[in-house]
Amino acid sequence: MKLTGAQILWESLVREGVTDVFGYPGGAILPAYDAMLGYPIRHVLVRHEQGATHMADGYARASGKVGVAIATSGPGATNMVTGIATAMMDSSPIVCITGQVGSKLIGSDAFQETDITGITLPITKHNYLVTSAEDVAPAVLEAFAIARSGRPGPVLVDITKDAQQSICEVDWEAARPQLTEALDEALPGDGDVRDAIALINAAARPLILAGHGVMLSGAEREIVALSERGQIPMAVTLLGIGGVAAAHPLNLGMMGMHGEAWVNNAIQEADLLIALGMRFDDRVTGNLKTYAREARKIHVDIDRAELNKNVRVDVAIAKDLRAAVEEWLPHVVAPGARAAWLARIDSLKGDSAVRDIQNLPDDGHLYAAHVINDLWRMTRGDALVVTDVGQHQMWEAQYYKHNRSRSLITSGGLGTMGFALPAAIGAKIACPESEVWVVVGDGGFQMTMPELATVVQEHLDINIAVINNGYLGMVRQWQEFFYDKRYAATPISGPNFAKLADAFGIAAATVTRRAEVNDAVEAARRLKRAALIDFQVEQEDSVYPMVPAGADLHKMIRRPSPIVETAAD
Amino acid sequence: MLHTFAVYVDNKPGVLNRVSSLFRRRAFNIESLTVGHTETPGVSRMTVVVDTDEYGARRLEAHLYKLVPCKRVENITAAASIARDLALIKVAATGEARTHVMQLVDVYRARIVDVSLESLVIETTGTEDKIDSLLEVLRPYGVVEMVRTGRVAMARGTLPARRAAAPSPQAPVAADTGGDVSHGSV
Ligand SMILES: Cc1ncc(C[n+]2csc(CCOP(=O)(O)OP(=O)(O)O)c2C)c(N)n1
Ligand SMILES: [Mg+2]
């Protein structure tokens, strides 16, 4: 049967198991939109194409499936750039389909022509410019294969208008992707499994550093097995949160710039780091010259290009994480000496606990940390939380204890403000049964808040907690610490968020005291449609501890503690 | 240290851009890059020379493999290999100088491929060293213009370069004779 390029596009998506797409129409993608009506796919109309990419990203992160975003040429395509870069940095598998001007017009600066394959070259795993109907199926099918294989990431398929309109016969068998197998033979410099096992069994103070790769490779159980069998404590990166249950006694918590003090100290005292599916980002290492100087290092990542990039390691293994750890497991033993190491880490914890805001006297103010902590308690740690970027993001990571894999979705690598609301829409559509909470700052929320209309149009039951501190808080914190409290361009006003939500048809409440938190959260949870709570929190609070950018990991700025200071008097 | 890679890629539009963009994006400096057809239809071969350390070279190889049109990468730096560069050099030489230049061309086993009243064009093939050295001796006569292809390279023997290179950190590396096998380098 002959099909148009547009029909072939949808047919390809259906064959890839796609059930939902996020998009926005326009001239160059019109033929595709016209053909869409004949296919069993839910189309979510977004309010900005950046939203479509974040939704596809949130969808992918929540479900592990490939998310799909669609836009027209020119401004539609360029609006996708931030979302594509976000997905690239966080290894999230999405496929972006863009319309392009007719193939005869390419290069002529035609109306709404833009070189989107050129623009997205460094922020996609791969991209295609498709100029004939015959090429649609092979490109789209290959795009999916690339997006989900190896280290996942975004792929863009730019399809000219004439390619969508012309008609051809499709040989689906021939259209199957024929990717050359990823390089499986070892290269010079690759580490030996036996060396890794020998290092693990010989270590007195080993520590597992678990990253996003744990979830991407489905190695959640294997990591815990390794930890338990070897009595090796674990620390997680921001994107690793949830990959290992927060409640697991060997999980120490988050590392890095706003990680737990005892975790960073443990890293500095460890004699072996076992880095699994993480990439030694500057936000987790601090000063590389003083980073974990006493530790030998094993690094496993499916992306060989991550090995020996920031940190030189003793054993570098380019392999799927689950397969690598499975291979180690039968050989790992637990020397008794680890008890001393675990006891040492416990003693590091004691000091931090007295500085924790939860243990500080209640002074009648509403702190963001309290809000998150209460939210965690009331949702029993079971919600799927999607955060934006800033102080509230770090407080969420510190105070919401995630026990489920893929239950925290956040923009880590790119740190994209405006991510939360659209990503949550994607996550909710991927996991309709999950209780979804957006935790977002007053600044970032104002970047993508028109997507509230999408929430309503799609009848989504999403709860939104705006952590409203009247500042671009994280930047204000840097100004407080490093720029003499000169608050240049960080005080930010906003609308009355409750009234705004009301205008969109979303239930809303405003909370100013801690005593009101429970009721507001409970009301939002009970409601079977979207709700927004404007939490007006302490304005000049800061996230502690903090490793200043580029500082030694163990030199953290700690929360000033009246208890500690008094005790010292 | 200079690393030489042989990179096999699909011969499709935009592939050169993908490769060179990768080097730029990852902050590697390309010393030279050449590209041409191979014995296999549809496959092009690039020879890329980059100044980086051992770790950088490994990462670069890994990054190249992530490019979809990239089929194979060989770091032939450590392998016994032959590397050649081709240069066309235009020298302003008349009268007596012209005779001197022609003698130098002879010594270097280069060739004169064009003669005009005021200048000669010399063609030479060899290692970069040999060409650099020829250039040095020609300079006093007045080099008006020069163009070089950049390095092309190939592993010696019948094995593909990766195999040839793999055990070679310890294995002795055959000396590159630098020019035509019959004459050696000057
Ligand atoms: C798109 C974008 N622009 C700028 C920044 C820099 N930035 C990082 S955190 C932050 C402040 C965020 O403010 P808000 O959303 O109110 O959250 P808060 O830190 O107050 O919790 C800014 C401006 C960014 N990460 N992303
Ligand atoms: Mg704020």
Side-chain angles (χ1 to χ4, degrees), chain A residues 389-392 415-417 441-444 447 469 471-475:
Chain A
V389 172
Q391 291 184 313
H392 63 280
T416 308
M417 282 173 71
D442 48 330
M447 283 198 169
N469 54 9
Y471 277 106
L472 299 174
M474 185 57 90
V475 181

Side-chain angles (χ1 to χ4, degrees), chain A residues 354-356 359-361 559-569:
Chain A
V354 290
R355 292 170 180 276
D356 190 324
N359 302 328
L360 294 182
R559 177 176 288 280
S561 164
I563 302 170
V564 173
E565 258 87 88
T566 319
D569 280 347

Side-chain angles (χ1 to χ4, degrees), chain A residues 316-329:
Chain A
I317 295 174
K319 197 169 181 174
D320 175 64
L321 188 55
R322 190 165 79 178
V325 177
E326 263 173 359
E327 201 173 350
W328 297 349
L329 277 176

